[in-house]
Amino acid sequence: MSTHDEWSDWAAQWRTQPVVDIERLRRRTLAKRWRMLAMVVFETVTAIGALVQTGWLFAHPGLGLRWKLFATGGTVLVVVMWSITLWLRRGTWRAAGSRVAELLRLDARRARAGIRLAQAQLWGFAALLVGVAVLAWPSLQPSAWMHDAALRRLLLVQIGANAPIVLGGVIFCLWYIRRQRRRLARIAQLKAELGMV
Amino acid sequence: MGARNRFAEVLQAHGGLMSRIAASYEADPALRDDLLQEIALALWRALPGWRGEAGLRTFVARIAHNRGASHVLGEQRQPRPGALPEDLPDPGIAPEQHAHARQEGARLQAAVRALPLALRQAVTLALEGFSHAEIADALGIRVNAVDVRLSRARQALREQLGESA
């Protein structure tokens, strides 16, 4: 069989693939687009609402320092959550019409940035633990809590509440770093397959 | 023409191409359906930016392959045992003929999916009837690179289809 015939044969077989329901695909795509749009609007309105509320609390003259600190914490939390949302959604902004090589380079840059971020987070956890240990050192001495039931309870509550959060954060960061490293390996493999190396 | 109408027209004209490219990246029917939706969504976003510098078919193929390559970065899954395709059969073919054609088509699909990415991308476009220049344009490579890839792919497909025959 000639090369041309072989390709023609394969092309004919290739086109016997099942017909796709285009109308269903169109409906689902538009519905997904609306859902994504609605999510962005909801997040924006929520973030603006939270900022207005915390701003009002901060500016209110009748409120004490405790509430003002609460307002500051709230504002920081909103900004952090908003940043995380943007970070997680960054993959959806890529230019779909770009070349595969550019997309792979972008993916690799993001994976490396993700690893750096997670490593910084691990150092942050370590710094937090050291800082807390230094501050609480006098209270952590057995002589301090052995005969003080209230202090003992407080330490137990603090350790019980915060240890799972810190441990969970550390596990997440390690898992994330591993995942991004696997992604980088896969990108390198794809680049090799595409002759980009 | 409204963006919705334009999108519907492009989908109508090139939906089959998009679906077959998605099938070259994902064997699992449910995940393939998700990938096809991702491709359609990317097309919706990119369509206003199309200025006719490349043919529309080439533009659509490029978007589909880019999404496909991103999909490959995740874990590749094998189809679940017993998973039935949700696609519709081609009404123009008799059942026995359809079954045979379907079987042959499935073998070819599996063989194409087993190719390295660079060969797979070139092959899917060649099977869709793209010229070598169009393939080069869609993939951002030179025409002689297309020739090399297609030649290697042909050899690999021959071996694979010959082995499983």
Side-chain angles (χ1 to χ4, degrees):
Chain A
M1 194 186 285
S2 74
T3 308
H4 183 262
D5 288 346
E6 203 165 33
W7 278 117
S8 303
D9 235 30
W10 285 338
Q13 280 178 23
W14 182 252
R15 285 163 187 274
T16 59
Q17 288 183 42
V19 180
V20 163
D21 186 346
I22 298 292
E23 184 50 32
R24 176 171 167 265
L25 176 63
R26 190 190 68 81
R27 279 198 313 271
R28 289 186 63 197
T29 306
L30 292 179
K32 184 169 183 173
R33 186 177 158 270
W34 278 114
R35 277 201 305 276
M36 288 171 74
L37 207 63
M39 192 55 80
V40 170
V41 169
F42 173 75
E43 284 164 1
T44 308
V45 168
T46 309
I48 291 171
L51 281 176
V52 167
Q53 198 180 6
T54 50
W56 180 83
L57 277 173
F58 201 70
H60 202 274
L63 292 173
L65 181 67
R66 197 174 151 197
W67 280 104
K68 287 190 193 287
L69 283 176
F70 175 75
T72 310
T75 310
V76 170
L77 187 68
V78 167
V79 171
V80 167
M81 291 307 289
W82 186 244
S83 309
I84 290 172
T85 309
L86 294 183
W87 171 256
L88 290 176
R89 197 169 283 145
R90 72 203 187 282
T92 61
W93 298 335
R94 62 177 46 179
S98 305
R99 310 277 182 202
V100 173
E102 291 158 23
L103 292 179
L104 288 181
R105 270 192 285 272
L106 188 66
D107 260 326
R109 268 206 305 275
R110 282 173 177 162
R112 279 192 285 270
I115 289 173
R116 279 198 297 274
L117 191 76
Q119 283 170 339
Q121 189 66 50
L122 284 174
W123 282 110
F125 280 132
L128 183 74
L129 284 177
V130 170
V132 168
V134 167
L135 279 175
W137 188 249
S139 307
L140 290 173
Q141 301 302 310
S143 54
W145 50 262
M146 197 79 87
H147 306 292
D148 187 343
L151 178 61
R152 209 162 47 235
R153 218 172 19 252
L154 180 71
L155 288 176
L156 280 175
V157 167
Q158 287 299 318
I159 291 169
N162 292 311
I165 295 173
V166 173
L167 195 66
V170 168
I171 290 170
F172 174 79
C173 286
L174 293 174
W175 168 81
Y176 184 77
I177 289 170
R178 205 174 150 204
R179 187 165 176 261
Q180 294 306 316
R181 283 192 177 140
R182 276 208 304 265
R183 195 173 175 82
L184 277 174
R186 187 89 185 103
I187 291 169
Q189 190 190 334
L190 282 185
K191 282 166 90 173
E193 281 185 21
L194 290 168
M196 291 166 59
V197 183
Chain B
M1 189 195 294
R4 271 169 178 252
N5 289 343
R6 181 161 175 67
F7 176 63
E9 275 185 13
V10 175
L11 220 49
Q12 196 66 45
H14 301 291
L17 166 72
M18 289 159 57
S19 162
R20 288 187 289 271
I21 291 178
S24 74
Y25 283 98
E26 181 56 65
D28 186 298
L31 294 173
R32 192 169 60 215
D33 207 32
D34 287 346
L35 174 59
L36 182 57
Q37 207 182 326
E38 284 296 318
I39 293 170
L41 197 62
L43 177 65
W44 167 276
R45 285 189 192 135
L47 209 49
W50 180 66
R51 298 281 174 263
E53 61 281 2
L56 185 56
R57 193 170 67 132
T58 307
F59 183 72
V60 172
R62 186 188 299 163
I63 289 168
H65 271 303
N66 287 347
R67 281 290 147 191
S70 295
H71 179 78
V72 169
L73 282 179
E75 302 249 341
Q76 270 183 306
R77 291 99 171 168
Q78 294 302 313
R80 286 186 300 273
L84 292 172
E86 293 173 7
D87 316 303
L88 305 172
D90 189 333
I93 305 176
E96 302 81 30
Q97 260 184 306
H98 173 71
H100 183 255
R102 186 88 183 254
Q103 201 178 4
E104 292 292 306
R107 277 181 60 221
L108 179 64
Q109 262 187 59
V112 169
R113 262 198 300 272
L115 293 173
L117 185 66
L119 305 189
R120 199 190 321 169
Q121 290 185 327
V123 162
T124 50
L125 298 182
L127 294 174
E128 291 291 340
F130 281 61
S131 70
H132 289 204
E134 285 175 320
I135 296 173
D137 190 22
L139 301 181
I141 55 176
R142 286 192 297 275
V143 175
N144 55 0
V146 174
D147 296 340
V148 172
R149 287 185 189 189
L150 287 180
S151 168
R152 285 183 188 161
R154 180 169 165 254
Q155 191 61 36
L157 283 178
R158 265 180 166 180
E159 283 168 17
Q160 286 207 46
L161 293 170
E163 274 171 18
S164 56

